Amino acid sequence: LWPRSAEHRASLIGDRSRSLFFALSVIPFGVLGYLNRDFVKSLFEVRYVAYALVVGGVFILLDEWVFCRWRQGKERQLESFSFVDAVVVGCGQCLALWTGFSRSAATLIFGRWRGFSRTAAAEVSFLVGLPTLCGTALYEMKSSWGIIDPHMRFQLALGILIAWLTAFLCVKTFLIFLRRFPLTLFAF
């Protein structure tokens, strides 16, 4: 049961630590979102969404045009994800509480600002997003379970499965895209 080589054991321990860090990165989002849920719901207005889209675009352009030059040749990979990265990216994820600010963009940009390569930052974004999105979905499902028609629960489960498969394919395609192109297209 126990890995035979010291390198393999160290790799497994590192993988477990990174998994824990990804799980912990959801805490700032969960706490801030829960404590400010009424305020967050008040942001569901067209002008606030428009502001969020503009600010998100500016953040992407700043990363691609300014911060990218500082990282030349010093970009980090996913294996170096640390507790500090989890805290910073987790706090960055809180921008997604602002309706219209993309959660993926927020975590990707904060990952880039922590020095990760484009593809590593995208992987960080998706791995940080997994516990966040699952937790949010479970919270909303718990809140709405009583109003869901019992005859529609199979369709709901099927919809969740189809959405998961579609998201998986989109993530794979997006990672291929990021290896070849910058994020400026998304900013505009």
Side-chain angles (χ1 to χ4, degrees), residues 152-172:
M152 298 298 290
R153 291 186 180 149
F154 173 76
Q155 286 86 345
L156 178 64
L158 183 62
I160 290 170
L161 177 64
I162 291 170
W164 186 87
L165 291 172
T166 304
F168 179 79
L169 293 174
C170 288
V171 166
K172 287 290 193 185

Side-chain angles (χ1 to χ4, degrees), residues 13 20 26-27 37 40 68 83 97 99 105 121 133 141 184 188:
I13 291 168
L20 178 63
V26 78
I27 292 173
R37 61 189 174 277
V40 169
C68 193
F83 176 76
L97 294 169
T99 305
L133 296 174
M141 186 179 292
T184 51
F188 294 114

Side-chain angles (χ1 to χ4, degrees), residues 21 25 76 80-91 114 116:
F21 297 153
S25 67
R76 297 169 54 203
S80 67
F81 191 76
S82 68
F83 176 76
V84 173
D85 297 324
V87 170
V88 171
V89 174
C91 289
R114 288 291 300 152
F116 288 98

Side-chain angles (χ1 to χ4, degrees), residues 37 42 45 95 97 102-103 111 117 133 140 187:
R37 61 189 174 277
S42 75
E45 234 182 272
L95 284 171
L97 294 169
S102 166
R103 191 211 56 79
S117 69
L133 296 174
E140 290 296 327

Side-chain angles (χ1 to χ4, degrees), residues 9-21:
R9 281 193 300 273
S11 171
L12 286 177
I13 291 168
D15 290 344
R16 287 184 189 135
S17 295
R18 274 190 300 283
S19 297
L20 178 63
F21 297 153

Side-chain angles (χ1 to χ4, degrees), residues 9 44 108 128 158:
R9 281 193 300 273
F44 279 82
L108 199 146
V128 164
L158 183 62

